[in-house]
Amino acid sequence: MYRKEKLHLLVTSALFAASITVVTAYMLHIPLPTGGYIHLGDALIYLAACLLPVPCAAAAAAIGAGLADLLTAPMWVLPTLVIKAVLVLFFTNRSERLLCRRNCAAVVLAGLFSPAAYALAGCAMAGTMTAFVPQFLGTLAQGVGSGALFLAIAPALDGVKLKARV
């Protein structure tokens, strides 16, 4: 890979990480009564996963979401680093379009995996399985919102040929 292409990937990954941090921690940040909060940062993680190679997308997701948790809920940083990096594995960047069959299925899979993983992490932190359902439901609401946002903006981004430009 040429030096210019490597620099482009590094900068794009860093911009995604920064955007994920800001959107997750501060924009449309809705606290939940059960603890935690709803955000739309996962929509940017899904977009990064569709545009960047897996290592770059995983790094952007983990760093961006990890920094957001460091700023808002530090106890979740370690689970977030793993969970958000795994989310990108459901998506593909090999399709010519953002909205392909695999990425549509990935929205559903990621939307279920993330709440289940966070609920298990919450149970481990609480020391009891009674934390599973409230944590799962709260994170599921956030996953549905992020998935809906991704599914809403992907056709528009496909229309302007974003993948060809990145």
Side-chain angles (χ1 to χ4, degrees), residues 4-5 12 15 60-61 66 80 100 124 138:
K4 186 177 179 181
E5 291 171 346
T12 305
L15 286 171
T80 292
C100 64

Side-chain angles (χ1 to χ4, degrees), residues 1-23:
M1 187 179 292
Y2 293 106
R3 185 175 171 166
K4 186 177 179 181
E5 291 171 346
K6 285 183 181 180
L7 181 61
H8 183 262
L9 273 177
L10 177 66
V11 170
T12 305
S13 300
L15 286 171
F16 265 111
S19 299
I20 291 164
T21 300
V22 171
V23 170

Side-chain angles (χ1 to χ4, degrees), residues 32-97:
L32 292 172
T34 58
Y37 55 92
I38 297 173
H39 62 81
L40 299 176
D42 284 3
L44 289 176
I45 291 174
Y46 302 165
L47 185 59
C50 295
L51 293 172
L52 299 171
V54 172
C56 295
I63 292 167
L67 285 172
D69 277 354
L70 190 61
L71 294 168
T72 60
M75 70 231 170
W76 291 100
V77 171
L78 292 177
T80 292
L81 291 173
V82 175
I83 293 166
K84 298 305 182 184
V86 170
L87 282 186
V88 305
L89 300 176
F90 294 110
F91 293 85
T92 183
N93 67 346
R94 300 198 190 279
S95 174
E96 291 180 16
R97 302 177 54 83

Side-chain angles (χ1 to χ4, degrees), residues 76 119-132:
W76 291 100
L120 290 174
C123 290
M125 285 189 236
T128 177
M129 287 302 288
T130 59
F132 187 88

